[in-house]
Structures are given as C-alpha cells and as structure tokens.
mmCIF file of all heavy atoms in Angstrom:
data_model
loop_
_atom_site.group_PDB
_atom_site.id
_atom_site.type_symbol
_atom_site.label_atom_id
_atom_site.label_comp_id
_atom_site.label_asym_id
_atom_site.label_seq_id
_atom_site.Cartn_x
_atom_site.Cartn_y
_atom_site.Cartn_z
ATOM 1 N N SER A 1 25.943 53.003 -3.265
ATOM 2 C CA SER A 1 25.375 52.222 -2.165
ATOM 3 C C SER A 1 23.869 52.132 -2.382
ATOM 4 O O SER A 1 23.233 53.084 -2.848
ATOM 5 C CB SER A 1 25.691 52.848 -0.803
ATOM 6 O OG SER A 1 25.020 54.082 -0.633
ATOM 7 N N ILE A 2 23.300 50.970 -2.044
ATOM 8 C CA ILE A 2 21.887 50.722 -2.317
ATOM 9 C C ILE A 2 21.382 49.599 -1.426
ATOM 10 O O ILE A 2 22.105 48.632 -1.146
ATOM 11 C CB ILE A 2 21.685 50.345 -3.812
ATOM 12 C CG1 ILE A 2 20.226 49.949 -4.129
ATOM 13 C CG2 ILE A 2 22.595 49.214 -4.222
ATOM 14 C CD1 ILE A 2 19.250 51.069 -4.133
ATOM 15 N N TRP A 3 20.158 49.730 -0.956
ATOM 16 C CA TRP A 3 19.427 48.623 -0.351
ATOM 17 C C TRP A 3 18.549 48.014 -1.444
ATOM 18 O O TRP A 3 17.740 48.719 -2.053
ATOM 19 C CB TRP A 3 18.554 49.102 0.796
ATOM 20 C CG TRP A 3 19.300 49.476 2.037
ATOM 21 C CD1 TRP A 3 19.765 50.718 2.373
ATOM 22 C CD2 TRP A 3 19.669 48.607 3.109
ATOM 23 N NE1 TRP A 3 20.400 50.680 3.586
ATOM 24 C CE2 TRP A 3 20.354 49.395 4.067
ATOM 25 C CE3 TRP A 3 19.484 47.247 3.377
ATOM 26 C CZ2 TRP A 3 20.848 48.866 5.254
ATOM 27 C CZ3 TRP A 3 19.981 46.720 4.554
ATOM 28 C CH2 TRP A 3 20.650 47.518 5.484
ATOM 29 N N ALA A 4 18.705 46.718 -1.685
ATOM 30 C CA ALA A 4 17.949 46.064 -2.753
ATOM 31 C C ALA A 4 17.444 44.712 -2.279
ATOM 32 O O ALA A 4 18.188 43.944 -1.655
ATOM 33 C CB ALA A 4 18.826 45.883 -3.992
ATOM 34 N N ALA A 5 16.187 44.428 -2.572
ATOM 35 C CA ALA A 5 15.571 43.140 -2.238
ATOM 36 C C ALA A 5 14.991 42.548 -3.509
ATOM 37 O O ALA A 5 13.840 42.819 -3.864
ATOM 38 C CB ALA A 5 14.488 43.311 -1.182
ATOM 39 N N PRO A 6 15.772 41.756 -4.250
ATOM 40 C CA PRO A 6 15.243 41.166 -5.491
ATOM 41 C C PRO A 6 14.139 40.151 -5.191
ATOM 42 O O PRO A 6 14.225 39.399 -4.212
ATOM 43 C CB PRO A 6 16.460 40.467 -6.112
ATOM 44 C CG PRO A 6 17.642 40.991 -5.376
ATOM 45 C CD PRO A 6 17.162 41.382 -4.020
ATOM 46 N N ARG A 7 13.148 40.139 -6.043
ATOM 47 C CA ARG A 7 12.086 39.144 -5.905
ATOM 48 C C ARG A 7 12.421 37.881 -6.682
ATOM 49 O O ARG A 7 11.996 36.791 -6.319
ATOM 50 C CB ARG A 7 10.769 39.741 -6.407
ATOM 51 C CG ARG A 7 9.571 38.843 -6.167
ATOM 52 C CD ARG A 7 8.253 39.573 -6.366
ATOM 53 N NE ARG A 7 7.148 38.630 -6.218
ATOM 54 C CZ ARG A 7 6.224 38.433 -7.135
ATOM 55 N NH1 ARG A 7 6.271 39.085 -8.278
ATOM 56 N NH2 ARG A 7 5.257 37.569 -6.917
ATOM 57 N N ALA A 8 13.173 38.034 -7.755
ATOM 58 C CA ALA A 8 13.504 36.886 -8.598
ATOM 59 C C ALA A 8 14.764 37.195 -9.380
ATOM 60 O O ALA A 8 15.160 38.357 -9.517
ATOM 61 C CB ALA A 8 12.351 36.581 -9.552
ATOM 62 N N PHE A 9 15.390 36.144 -9.907
ATOM 63 C CA PHE A 9 16.589 36.294 -10.721
ATOM 64 C C PHE A 9 16.312 35.725 -12.113
ATOM 65 O O PHE A 9 15.762 34.626 -12.241
ATOM 66 C CB PHE A 9 17.765 35.559 -10.077
ATOM 67 C CG PHE A 9 18.018 35.971 -8.663
ATOM 68 C CD1 PHE A 9 17.996 35.048 -7.630
ATOM 69 C CD2 PHE A 9 18.260 37.302 -8.346
ATOM 70 C CE1 PHE A 9 18.227 35.425 -6.321
ATOM 71 C CE2 PHE A 9 18.484 37.695 -7.037
ATOM 72 C CZ PHE A 9 18.468 36.759 -6.022
ATOM 73 N N GLU A 10 16.717 36.467 -13.132
ATOM 74 C CA GLU A 10 16.444 36.048 -14.500
ATOM 75 C C GLU A 10 17.362 34.921 -14.942
ATOM 76 O O GLU A 10 18.488 34.780 -14.470
ATOM 77 C CB GLU A 10 16.587 37.239 -15.454
ATOM 78 C CG GLU A 10 15.479 38.263 -15.325
ATOM 79 C CD GLU A 10 15.430 39.211 -16.507
ATOM 80 O OE1 GLU A 10 15.157 38.746 -17.629
ATOM 81 O OE2 GLU A 10 15.688 40.407 -16.296
ATOM 82 N N TRP A 11 16.861 34.164 -15.899
ATOM 83 C CA TRP A 11 17.656 33.098 -16.506
ATOM 84 C C TRP A 11 18.767 33.714 -17.345
ATOM 85 O O TRP A 11 18.623 34.793 -17.922
ATOM 86 C CB TRP A 11 16.773 32.242 -17.398
ATOM 87 C CG TRP A 11 17.527 31.158 -18.117
ATOM 88 C CD1 TRP A 11 17.758 29.888 -17.672
ATOM 89 C CD2 TRP A 11 18.155 31.255 -19.397
ATOM 90 N NE1 TRP A 11 18.497 29.187 -18.593
ATOM 91 C CE2 TRP A 11 18.759 30.000 -19.669
ATOM 92 C CE3 TRP A 11 18.286 32.266 -20.341
ATOM 93 C CZ2 TRP A 11 19.466 29.740 -20.838
ATOM 94 C CZ3 TRP A 11 18.992 32.015 -21.503
ATOM 95 C CH2 TRP A 11 19.563 30.766 -21.747
ATOM 96 N N ASP A 12 19.906 33.003 -17.432
ATOM 97 C CA ASP A 12 20.981 33.357 -18.354
ATOM 98 C C ASP A 12 21.717 32.076 -18.715
ATOM 99 O O ASP A 12 21.641 31.066 -18.005
ATOM 100 C CB ASP A 12 21.943 34.368 -17.728
ATOM 101 C CG ASP A 12 22.738 35.144 -18.786
ATOM 102 O OD1 ASP A 12 22.638 34.791 -19.983
ATOM 103 O OD2 ASP A 12 23.458 36.080 -18.428
ATOM 104 N N ASP A 13 22.414 32.096 -19.833
ATOM 105 C CA ASP A 13 23.227 30.969 -20.278
ATOM 106 C C ASP A 13 24.169 30.541 -19.153
ATOM 107 O O ASP A 13 24.883 31.384 -18.598
ATOM 108 C CB ASP A 13 24.017 31.415 -21.518
ATOM 109 C CG ASP A 13 24.966 30.360 -22.042
ATOM 110 O OD1 ASP A 13 25.112 29.307 -21.409
ATOM 111 O OD2 ASP A 13 25.576 30.606 -23.098
ATOM 112 N N PRO A 14 24.208 29.249 -18.789
ATOM 113 C CA PRO A 14 25.086 28.825 -17.693
ATOM 114 C C PRO A 14 26.563 29.154 -17.915
ATOM 115 O O PRO A 14 27.320 29.292 -16.946
ATOM 116 C CB PRO A 14 24.871 27.304 -17.655
ATOM 117 C CG PRO A 14 23.521 27.095 -18.243
ATOM 118 C CD PRO A 14 23.359 28.165 -19.280
ATOM 119 N N GLU A 15 26.975 29.289 -19.174
ATOM 120 C CA GLU A 15 28.381 29.584 -19.464
ATOM 121 C C GLU A 15 28.616 31.061 -19.757
ATOM 122 O O GLU A 15 29.716 31.451 -20.143
ATOM 123 C CB GLU A 15 28.843 28.750 -20.663
ATOM 124 C CG GLU A 15 28.633 27.251 -20.503
ATOM 125 C CD GLU A 15 29.386 26.694 -19.310
ATOM 126 O OE1 GLU A 15 30.510 27.180 -19.036
ATOM 127 O OE2 GLU A 15 28.858 25.788 -18.634
ATOM 128 N N ALA A 16 27.603 31.896 -19.601
ATOM 129 C CA ALA A 16 27.693 33.294 -20.037
ATOM 130 C C ALA A 16 28.774 34.064 -19.288
ATOM 131 O O ALA A 16 29.582 34.777 -19.890
ATOM 132 C CB ALA A 16 26.340 33.984 -19.878
ATOM 133 N N ALA A 17 28.814 33.954 -17.960
ATOM 134 C CA ALA A 17 29.783 34.720 -17.188
ATOM 135 C C ALA A 17 31.206 34.297 -17.524
ATOM 136 O O ALA A 17 32.102 35.144 -17.681
ATOM 137 C CB ALA A 17 29.517 34.545 -15.693
ATOM 138 N N ALA A 18 31.431 32.989 -17.642
ATOM 139 C CA ALA A 18 32.772 32.494 -17.945
ATOM 140 C C ALA A 18 33.252 32.949 -19.314
ATOM 141 O O ALA A 18 34.455 33.147 -19.534
ATOM 142 C CB ALA A 18 32.790 30.967 -17.862
ATOM 143 N N ASN A 19 32.316 33.130 -20.242
ATOM 144 C CA ASN A 19 32.670 33.530 -21.596
ATOM 145 C C ASN A 19 32.529 35.038 -21.840
ATOM 146 O O ASN A 19 32.644 35.501 -22.976
ATOM 147 C CB ASN A 19 31.809 32.782 -22.618
ATOM 148 C CG ASN A 19 32.068 31.283 -22.589
ATOM 149 O OD1 ASN A 19 33.187 30.845 -22.322
ATOM 150 N ND2 ASN A 19 31.036 30.484 -22.853
ATOM 151 N N GLY A 20 32.261 35.813 -20.789
ATOM 152 C CA GLY A 20 32.132 37.261 -20.935
ATOM 153 C C GLY A 20 30.875 37.714 -21.621
ATOM 154 O O GLY A 20 30.814 38.835 -22.130
ATOM 155 N N ARG A 21 29.838 36.867 -21.630
ATOM 156 C CA ARG A 21 28.594 37.220 -22.316
ATOM 157 C C ARG A 21 27.434 37.418 -21.341
ATOM 158 O O ARG A 21 26.281 37.435 -21.753
ATOM 159 C CB ARG A 21 28.207 36.126 -23.309
ATOM 160 C CG ARG A 21 29.223 35.834 -24.396
ATOM 161 C CD ARG A 21 28.608 34.947 -25.484
ATOM 162 N NE ARG A 21 27.952 33.788 -24.911
ATOM 163 C CZ ARG A 21 28.544 32.604 -24.722
ATOM 164 N NH1 ARG A 21 29.817 32.446 -25.041
ATOM 165 N NH2 ARG A 21 27.867 31.592 -24.214
ATOM 166 N N ALA A 22 27.732 37.557 -20.079
ATOM 167 C CA ALA A 22 26.659 37.684 -19.086
ATOM 168 C C ALA A 22 25.857 38.961 -19.325
ATOM 169 O O ALA A 22 26.419 40.029 -19.578
ATOM 170 C CB ALA A 22 27.238 37.691 -17.678
ATOM 171 N N ASN A 23 24.542 38.837 -19.240
ATOM 172 C CA ASN A 23 23.647 39.988 -19.358
ATOM 173 C C ASN A 23 23.126 40.316 -17.958
ATOM 174 O O ASN A 23 22.242 39.628 -17.447
ATOM 175 C CB ASN A 23 22.485 39.672 -20.293
ATOM 176 C CG ASN A 23 22.957 39.394 -21.702
ATOM 177 O OD1 ASN A 23 23.752 40.141 -22.257
ATOM 178 N ND2 ASN A 23 22.482 38.295 -22.278
ATOM 179 N N LEU A 24 23.695 41.333 -17.351
ATOM 180 C CA LEU A 24 23.338 41.644 -15.967
ATOM 181 C C LEU A 24 21.943 42.254 -15.872
ATOM 182 O O LEU A 24 21.564 43.108 -16.681
ATOM 183 C CB LEU A 24 24.339 42.629 -15.366
ATOM 184 C CG LEU A 24 25.795 42.193 -15.242
ATOM 185 C CD1 LEU A 24 26.588 43.266 -14.497
ATOM 186 C CD2 LEU A 24 25.924 40.848 -14.556
ATOM 187 N N THR A 25 21.195 41.799 -14.875
ATOM 188 C CA THR A 25 19.999 42.529 -14.473
ATOM 189 C C THR A 25 20.476 43.779 -13.749
ATOM 190 O O THR A 25 21.231 43.701 -12.786
ATOM 191 C CB THR A 25 19.133 41.672 -13.544
ATOM 192 O OG1 THR A 25 18.668 40.527 -14.263
ATOM 193 C CG2 THR A 25 17.938 42.467 -13.029
ATOM 194 N N ALA A 26 20.048 44.933 -14.236
ATOM 195 C CA ALA A 26 20.625 46.200 -13.770
ATOM 196 C C ALA A 26 19.962 46.695 -12.492
ATOM 197 O O ALA A 26 18.736 46.734 -12.394
ATOM 198 C CB ALA A 26 20.499 47.252 -14.853
ATOM 199 N N ILE A 27 20.799 47.073 -11.532
ATOM 200 C CA ILE A 27 20.341 47.874 -10.402
ATOM 201 C C ILE A 27 20.473 49.347 -10.780
ATOM 202 O O ILE A 27 19.502 50.095 -10.730
ATOM 203 C CB ILE A 27 21.148 47.545 -9.136
ATOM 204 C CG1 ILE A 27 20.930 46.082 -8.730
ATOM 205 C CG2 ILE A 27 20.753 48.477 -7.994
ATOM 206 C CD1 ILE A 27 21.807 45.615 -7.592
ATOM 207 N N VAL A 28 21.670 49.759 -11.178
ATOM 208 C CA VAL A 28 21.892 51.121 -11.676
ATOM 209 C C VAL A 28 23.099 51.085 -12.603
ATOM 210 O O VAL A 28 24.059 50.336 -12.378
ATOM 211 C CB VAL A 28 22.108 52.112 -10.499
ATOM 212 C CG1 VAL A 28 23.288 51.706 -9.635
ATOM 213 C CG2 VAL A 28 22.275 53.535 -11.010
ATOM 214 N N GLY A 29 23.063 51.872 -13.658
ATOM 215 C CA GLY A 29 24.190 51.890 -14.575
ATOM 216 C C GLY A 29 24.092 52.992 -15.606
ATOM 217 O O GLY A 29 23.013 53.548 -15.866
ATOM 218 N N GLN A 30 25.239 53.292 -16.189
ATOM 219 C CA GLN A 30 25.355 54.240 -17.296
ATOM 220 C C GLN A 30 26.605 53.810 -18.046
ATOM 221 O O GLN A 30 27.712 54.116 -17.622
ATOM 222 C CB GLN A 30 25.483 55.674 -16.785
ATOM 223 C CG GLN A 30 25.589 56.725 -17.894
ATOM 224 C CD GLN A 30 25.760 58.118 -17.325
ATOM 225 O OE1 GLN A 30 26.479 58.341 -16.350
ATOM 226 N NE2 GLN A 30 25.096 59.106 -17.933
ATOM 227 N N TYR A 31 26.445 53.069 -19.133
ATOM 228 C CA TYR A 31 27.624 52.426 -19.696
ATOM 229 C C TYR A 31 27.501 52.167 -21.191
ATOM 230 O O TYR A 31 26.406 52.141 -21.772
ATOM 231 C CB TYR A 31 27.876 51.094 -18.980
ATOM 232 C CG TYR A 31 26.954 49.969 -19.413
ATOM 233 C CD1 TYR A 31 27.410 48.981 -20.276
ATOM 234 C CD2 TYR A 31 25.638 49.882 -18.963
ATOM 235 C CE1 TYR A 31 26.584 47.938 -20.678
ATOM 236 C CE2 TYR A 31 24.808 48.851 -19.354
ATOM 237 C CZ TYR A 31 25.289 47.869 -20.216
ATOM 238 O OH TYR A 31 24.455 46.854 -20.613
ATOM 239 N N ASN A 32 28.667 51.989 -21.803
ATOM 240 C CA ASN A 32 28.788 51.478 -23.167
ATOM 241 C C ASN A 32 29.961 50.500 -23.145
ATOM 242 O O ASN A 32 31.117 50.903 -23.119
ATOM 243 C CB ASN A 32 29.040 52.614 -24.163
ATOM 244 C CG ASN A 32 29.039 52.124 -25.600
ATOM 245 O OD1 ASN A 32 29.613 51.078 -25.921
ATOM 246 N ND2 ASN A 32 28.401 52.882 -26.473
ATOM 247 N N LYS A 33 29.646 49.211 -23.104
ATOM 248 C CA LYS A 33 30.688 48.200 -22.955
ATOM 249 C C LYS A 33 31.598 48.154 -24.176
ATOM 250 O O LYS A 33 32.805 47.912 -24.055
ATOM 251 C CB LYS A 33 30.064 46.832 -22.712
ATOM 252 C CG LYS A 33 31.071 45.763 -22.303
ATOM 253 C CD LYS A 33 30.413 44.419 -22.011
ATOM 254 C CE LYS A 33 29.549 44.466 -20.794
ATOM 255 N NZ LYS A 33 29.055 43.107 -20.402
ATOM 256 N N ASP A 34 31.054 48.386 -25.374
ATOM 257 C CA ASP A 34 31.875 48.355 -26.588
ATOM 258 C C ASP A 34 32.972 49.426 -26.540
ATOM 259 O O ASP A 34 34.097 49.202 -26.995
ATOM 260 C CB ASP A 34 31.014 48.545 -27.829
ATOM 261 C CG ASP A 34 30.090 47.365 -28.082
ATOM 262 O OD1 ASP A 34 30.409 46.257 -27.592
ATOM 263 O OD2 ASP A 34 29.053 47.547 -28.745
ATOM 264 N N LYS A 35 32.628 50.588 -25.979
ATOM 265 C CA LYS A 35 33.596 51.677 -25.888
ATOM 266 C C LYS A 35 34.348 51.680 -24.554
ATOM 267 O O LYS A 35 35.178 52.564 -24.326
ATOM 268 C CB LYS A 35 32.890 53.020 -26.075
ATOM 269 C CG LYS A 35 32.299 53.208 -27.469
ATOM 270 C CD LYS A 35 31.664 54.583 -27.605
ATOM 271 C CE LYS A 35 31.112 54.792 -29.017
ATOM 272 N NZ LYS A 35 30.478 56.141 -29.158
ATOM 273 N N LYS A 36 34.020 50.701 -23.695
ATOM 274 C CA LYS A 36 34.671 50.598 -22.379
ATOM 275 C C LYS A 36 34.483 51.880 -21.569
ATOM 276 O O LYS A 36 35.418 52.444 -21.000
ATOM 277 C CB LYS A 36 36.162 50.269 -22.535
ATOM 278 C CG LYS A 36 36.432 48.960 -23.276
ATOM 279 C CD LYS A 36 37.917 48.703 -23.395
ATOM 280 C CE LYS A 36 38.217 47.362 -24.043
ATOM 281 N NZ LYS A 36 37.771 47.292 -25.433
ATOM 282 N N GLN A 37 33.222 52.309 -21.487
ATOM 283 C CA GLN A 37 32.887 53.549 -20.793
ATOM 284 C C GLN A 37 31.810 53.304 -19.743
ATOM 285 O O GLN A 37 30.906 52.490 -19.929
ATOM 286 C CB GLN A 37 32.367 54.594 -21.788
ATOM 287 C CG GLN A 37 33.366 55.029 -22.836
ATOM 288 C CD GLN A 37 32.733 55.944 -23.879
ATOM 289 O OE1 GLN A 37 31.516 55.937 -24.071
ATOM 290 N NE2 GLN A 37 33.564 56.728 -24.548
ATOM 291 N N GLY A 38 31.925 54.049 -18.638
ATOM 292 C CA GLY A 38 30.852 54.079 -17.652
ATOM 293 C C GLY A 38 30.910 52.956 -16.647
ATOM 294 O O GLY A 38 31.960 52.363 -16.389
ATOM 295 N N PHE A 39 29.749 52.628 -16.073
ATOM 296 C CA PHE A 39 29.674 51.624 -15.008
ATOM 297 C C PHE A 39 28.331 50.921 -15.053
ATOM 298 O O PHE A 39 27.343 51.446 -15.583
ATOM 299 C CB PHE A 39 29.857 52.281 -13.637
ATOM 300 C CG PHE A 39 28.594 52.943 -13.124
ATOM 301 C CD1 PHE A 39 27.770 52.300 -12.205
ATOM 302 C CD2 PHE A 39 28.211 54.198 -13.596
ATOM 303 C CE1 PHE A 39 26.602 52.892 -11.759
ATOM 304 C CE2 PHE A 39 27.044 54.802 -13.149
ATOM 305 C CZ PHE A 39 26.236 54.139 -12.222
ATOM 306 N N LEU A 40 28.276 49.742 -14.467
ATOM 307 C CA LEU A 40 27.027 49.000 -14.318
ATOM 308 C C LEU A 40 27.111 48.163 -13.047
ATOM 309 O O LEU A 40 28.070 47.407 -12.851
ATOM 310 C CB LEU A 40 26.788 48.084 -15.521
ATOM 311 C CG LEU A 40 25.555 47.173 -15.451
ATOM 312 C CD1 LEU A 40 24.268 47.999 -15.371
ATOM 313 C CD2 LEU A 40 25.507 46.234 -16.655
ATOM 314 N N LEU A 41 26.122 48.309 -12.182
ATOM 315 C CA LEU A 41 25.979 47.475 -10.998
ATOM 316 C C LEU A 41 24.739 46.614 -11.176
ATOM 317 O O LEU A 41 23.642 47.136 -11.413
ATOM 318 C CB LEU A 41 25.841 48.329 -9.737
ATOM 319 C CG LEU A 41 25.612 47.564 -8.426
ATOM 320 C CD1 LEU A 41 26.826 46.712 -8.062
ATOM 321 C CD2 LEU A 41 25.278 48.532 -7.285
ATOM 322 N N GLY A 42 24.911 45.297 -11.092
ATOM 323 C CA GLY A 42 23.774 44.410 -11.288
ATOM 324 C C GLY A 42 24.121 42.993 -10.877
ATOM 325 O O GLY A 42 25.063 42.744 -10.135
ATOM 326 N N TYR A 43 23.349 42.039 -11.387
ATOM 327 C CA TYR A 43 23.564 40.642 -11.028
ATOM 328 C C TYR A 43 23.129 39.733 -12.168
ATOM 329 O O TYR A 43 22.354 40.113 -13.049
ATOM 330 C CB TYR A 43 22.828 40.280 -9.737
ATOM 331 C CG TYR A 43 21.361 40.654 -9.721
ATOM 332 C CD1 TYR A 43 20.387 39.796 -10.226
ATOM 333 C CD2 TYR A 43 20.954 41.879 -9.204
ATOM 334 C CE1 TYR A 43 19.052 40.141 -10.211
ATOM 335 C CE2 TYR A 43 19.622 42.241 -9.171
ATOM 336 C CZ TYR A 43 18.670 41.366 -9.678
ATOM 337 O OH TYR A 43 17.351 41.716 -9.668
ATOM 338 N N GLU A 44 23.646 38.509 -12.132
ATOM 339 C CA GLU A 44 23.333 37.504 -13.137
ATOM 340 C C GLU A 44 22.440 36.440 -12.504
ATOM 341 O O GLU A 44 21.827 36.675 -11.463
ATOM 342 C CB GLU A 44 24.654 36.909 -13.660
ATOM 343 C CG GLU A 44 24.523 36.221 -15.015
ATOM 344 C CD GLU A 44 25.473 35.039 -15.125
ATOM 345 O OE1 GLU A 44 26.090 34.654 -14.117
ATOM 346 O OE2 GLU A 44 25.583 34.484 -16.223
ATOM 347 N N ARG A 45 22.381 35.246 -13.110
ATOM 348 C CA ARG A 45 21.523 34.172 -12.621
ATOM 349 C C ARG A 45 21.825 33.852 -11.157
ATOM 350 O O ARG A 45 22.968 33.919 -10.710
ATOM 351 C CB ARG A 45 21.666 32.917 -13.491
ATOM 352 C CG ARG A 45 23.086 32.514 -13.735
ATOM 353 C CD ARG A 45 23.226 31.549 -14.913
ATOM 354 N NE ARG A 45 23.116 30.166 -14.483
ATOM 355 C CZ ARG A 45 22.276 29.309 -15.017
ATOM 356 N NH1 ARG A 45 21.436 29.696 -15.977
ATOM 357 N NH2 ARG A 45 22.231 28.065 -14.618
ATOM 358 N N TYR A 46 20.772 33.540 -10.420
ATOM 359 C CA TYR A 46 20.823 33.212 -8.991
ATOM 360 C C TYR A 46 21.261 34.393 -8.122
ATOM 361 O O TYR A 46 21.550 34.226 -6.944
ATOM 362 C CB TYR A 46 21.751 32.024 -8.717
ATOM 363 C CG TYR A 46 21.570 30.870 -9.663
ATOM 364 C CD1 TYR A 46 22.662 30.316 -10.326
ATOM 365 C CD2 TYR A 46 20.307 30.326 -9.900
ATOM 366 C CE1 TYR A 46 22.501 29.258 -11.205
ATOM 367 C CE2 TYR A 46 20.141 29.270 -10.782
ATOM 368 C CZ TYR A 46 21.235 28.738 -11.431
ATOM 369 O OH TYR A 46 21.066 27.685 -12.308
ATOM 370 N N GLY A 47 21.339 35.596 -8.690
ATOM 371 C CA GLY A 47 21.705 36.765 -7.904
ATOM 372 C C GLY A 47 23.186 36.970 -7.730
ATOM 373 O O GLY A 47 23.633 37.600 -6.771
#
C-alpha cells in the first residue's frame, strides 16, 4: 500500500504494453522478469 502523487509520466512505445515490452516506472519492486521472480508495482505511459 502506498500514497503516490506522480508529477509526470514517462514516454513509452505505444504498442509496448500489448507486446509485453512495457518498461514500468517503478514505485517499488524487487524482481527478475527473465527468471519470473519477485514483484514490481509501477505504471506505464499516462500513468
């Protein structure tokens, strides 16, 4: 759980999320996606 007030959202490829290539702006995380380990909470373009 977190209170977060983003000031801005970073650019990302418009097709990134649909193709599984989204690069999340991280709120908090500890992960290795290649090994399918851990977690990441964040957001993509437009929040």
Side-chain angles (χ1 to χ4, degrees):
S1 68
I2 175 72
W3 287 92
R7 186 167 176 236
F9 305 122
E10 289 196 64
W11 177 90
D12 202 353
D13 177 355
E15 305 300 324
N19 296 327
R21 301 192 310 268
N23 297 312
L24 298 185
T25 296
I27 297 173
V28 58
Q30 181 182 40
Y31 77 103
N32 185 317
K33 190 178 293 188
D34 292 337
K35 295 182 178 180
K36 301 180 176 65
Q37 297 174 338
F39 80 99
L40 176 62
L41 177 66
Y43 51 87
E44 200 213 9
R45 49 197 270 127
Y46 315 129

